């Protein structure tokens, strides 16, 4: 089968399109013939050796896949050949087939296409865990989403709306803000043309925002923290801007606020049953049209480098998908 391989830490253009042996399902596993694999910003960091998870070489980028069950190993009773499924794999999604533990695989309904299914797991899983488990939201509270047109930001806008929050989408262009408004945001703020701290204070009527969802980091993080309300919750999602911010802790003291880390990957390993329930709920919501799992664009597997460069350039609004 064909696969995109990272055999040493490299840039997207250095990845290799190669033949590798087909996987075989061990006991408790199933082989998925991949129809769509979703990429995330951390895939770039992973191939560069800058991510906290470092798979052994050679590996493929791509942490979430959707496809059809091709074979099952001994002891697998709840999956059958031909089932349409989705799964999180951590890496190795950018290939034609993958063997995964059956317990990590979730069936999808016939009315949910593979592209949108592949994009549900990490962005919506992260956003749902962040908002539901870490933020402790109350109906009517304000939620400021940085990087609101990206995969995780878009998910936070949509899920925040479903939870009854007043969503303020923050992004770097009016085009991205219009996109976020079409996907759940009530208010918008262009932080390329307006000061983020002052803008959030203005949009919250001077009170400050109750929850900040920050997958961007860099200089925007401190500005958003300075605009947080008393007893607000600042959710640390990631650092797409590249720089890990160093926050003045006196701000947490003066505002009585919490800075809460959101490490979805570790949480899923510690709470597999809750994570599976979350994924099943997200699959259902997507099939019902309650969340979009919007696909920005799709690429053939051989063009994985081009797909990753779209993410690196922060050009995507929604998910970037590979078609093996």
């Amino acid at each position: 089968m064909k696969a995109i391989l990272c055999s040493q830490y490299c840039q997207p253009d250095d990845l290799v399109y190669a033949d590798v042996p087909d996987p075989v399902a061990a006991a408790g596993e199933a082989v998925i013939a991949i129809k769509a694999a979703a990429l995330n910003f951390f895939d770039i960091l992973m191939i560069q050796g800058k991510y906290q998870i470092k798979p052994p070489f050679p590996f493929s980028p791509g942490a979430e896949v959707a496809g059809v069950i091709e074979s099952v190993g001994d002891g697998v009773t709840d999956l059958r050949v031909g089932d349409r499924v989705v799964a999180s794999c951590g890496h190795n999604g950018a290939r034609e087939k993958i063997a995964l533990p059956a317990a990590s695989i979730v069936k999808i309904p016939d009315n949910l296409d593979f592209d949108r299914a592949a994009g549900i797991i990490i962005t919506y899983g992260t956003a749902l865990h962040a908002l539901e488990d870490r933020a402790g939201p109350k109906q009517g509270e304000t939620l400021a989403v940085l990087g609101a047109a990206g995969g995780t930001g878009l998910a936070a806008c949509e899920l925040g709306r479903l939870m009854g929050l007043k969503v303020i989408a923050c992004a770097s262009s009016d085009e991205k803000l219009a996109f976020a408004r079409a996907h759940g945001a009530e208010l918008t703020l262009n932080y390329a043309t307006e000061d983020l701290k002052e803008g959030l204070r203005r949009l919250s009527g001077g009170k400050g925002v109750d929850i900040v969802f920050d997958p961007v980091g860099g200089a925007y993080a401190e500005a958003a923290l300075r605009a947080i309300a008393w007893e607000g919750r600042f959710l640390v999602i990631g650092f797409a801007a590249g720089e890990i911010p160093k926050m003045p802790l006196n701000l947490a003291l003066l505002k009585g606020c919490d800075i809460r880390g959101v490490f979805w990957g570790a949480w899923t390993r510690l709470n597999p049953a809750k994570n599976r329930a979350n994924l099943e709920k997200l699959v259902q919501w997507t099939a019902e049209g309650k969340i979009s799992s919007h696909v920005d664009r799709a690429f053939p597997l051989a063009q994985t480098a081009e797909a990753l460069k779209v993410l690196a350039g922060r050009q995507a609004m929604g998910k970037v998908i590979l078609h093996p």
Side-chain angles (χ1 to χ4, degrees):
M1 68 174 183
K2 294 293 186 182
I4 295 292
L5 296 182
C6 175
S7 298
Q8 60 184 10
Y9 294 130
C10 65
Q11 299 302 321
D13 283 331
D14 301 315
L15 295 169
V16 177
Y17 185 54
D19 289 296
V20 297
D22 282 14
V24 176
E29 290 186 340
V31 170
I32 301 173
I34 299 171
K35 302 300 182 184
L39 294 175
N40 294 275
F41 185 82
F42 65 76
D43 286 308
I44 302 165
L45 302 178
M46 190 177 286
I47 67 170
Q48 293 172 340
K50 297 177 180 178
Y51 195 56
Q52 57 259 37
I53 297 169
K54 295 178 169 59
F57 296 121
F59 68 88
S60 302
E64 43 193 345
V65 298
V68 176
I69 297 294
E70 184 177 86
S71 62
V72 298
D74 291 342
V76 177
T77 58
D78 56 344
L79 293 171
R80 298 179 183 277
V81 173
D83 283 347
R84 304 173 77 254
V85 296
V86 67
S88 174
C89 52
H91 59 280
N92 285 342
R95 51 184 60 195
E96 292 182 330
K97 302 176 186 180
I98 190 170
L100 292 172
S104 70
I105 299 171
V106 170
K107 295 178 186 178
I108 59 174
D110 290 342
N111 66 332
L112 178 56
D113 62 90
F114 291 119
D115 283 9
R116 288 194 304 139
I120 292 170
I121 303 174
I122 292 175
T123 54
Y124 286 92
T126 297
L128 183 60
H129 166 54
L131 296 176
E132 192 173 77
D133 303 317
R134 300 295 288 146
K138 304 177 185 68
Q139 277 222 343
E141 285 191 316
T142 50
L143 166 68
V145 180
L146 309 190
T152 310
L154 178 70
C157 289
E158 293 190 332
L159 292 173
R161 177 196 60 191
L162 280 178
M163 293 177 182
L165 301 175
K166 185 175 185 177
V167 179
I168 303 173
C170 308
S172 58
S173 75
D174 291 341
E175 180 188 11
K176 290 179 178 180
L177 292 174
F179 179 74
R181 189 182 285 275
H183 290 83
E186 182 175 337
L187 300 170
T188 59
L189 194 161
N190 185 333
Y191 46 57
T193 60
E194 182 175 3
D195 181 81
L196 179 60
K197 179 185 73 172
E198 296 304 323
L200 288 177
R201 285 180 174 171
R202 173 179 62 80
L203 292 173
S204 61
K207 171 181 177 289
V209 294
D210 298 298
I211 303 167
V212 174
F213 183 98
D214 181 18
V216 178
Y220 297 117
E222 183 177 332
L225 183 60
R226 289 183 179 276
I228 207 165
W230 177 254
E231 295 187 342
R233 287 84 74 202
F234 186 101
L235 303 176
V236 182
I237 312 298
F239 313 105
E243 178 190 347
I244 298 176
K246 296 175 174 61
M247 300 294 231
L249 286 181
N250 66 308
L251 294 176
L253 183 154
L254 293 171
K255 294 174 175 289
C257 68
D258 294 347
I259 300 172
R260 301 182 182 179
V262 180
F263 190 179
W264 176 81
W267 177 83
T268 63
R269 291 189 291 274
L270 294 168
N271 301 274
K274 176 67 161 62
N275 176 58
R276 185 180 181 87
N278 277 3
L279 178 53
E280 289 172 343
K281 179 162 57 176
L282 291 169
V283 164
Q284 189 63 34
W285 282 350
T286 309
E288 292 172 354
K290 292 180 179 178
I291 54 179
S292 68
S293 192
H294 178 80
V295 174
D296 179 86
R297 63 194 86 178
F299 292 82
L301 185 63
Q303 295 178 19
T304 297
E306 286 73 17
L308 288 170
K309 285 187 278 190
V310 167
L311 288 173
R314 298 175 68 181
Q315 301 168 29
M317 292 190 289
K319 295 295 289 192
V320 174
I321 299 295
L322 298 176
H323 288 159

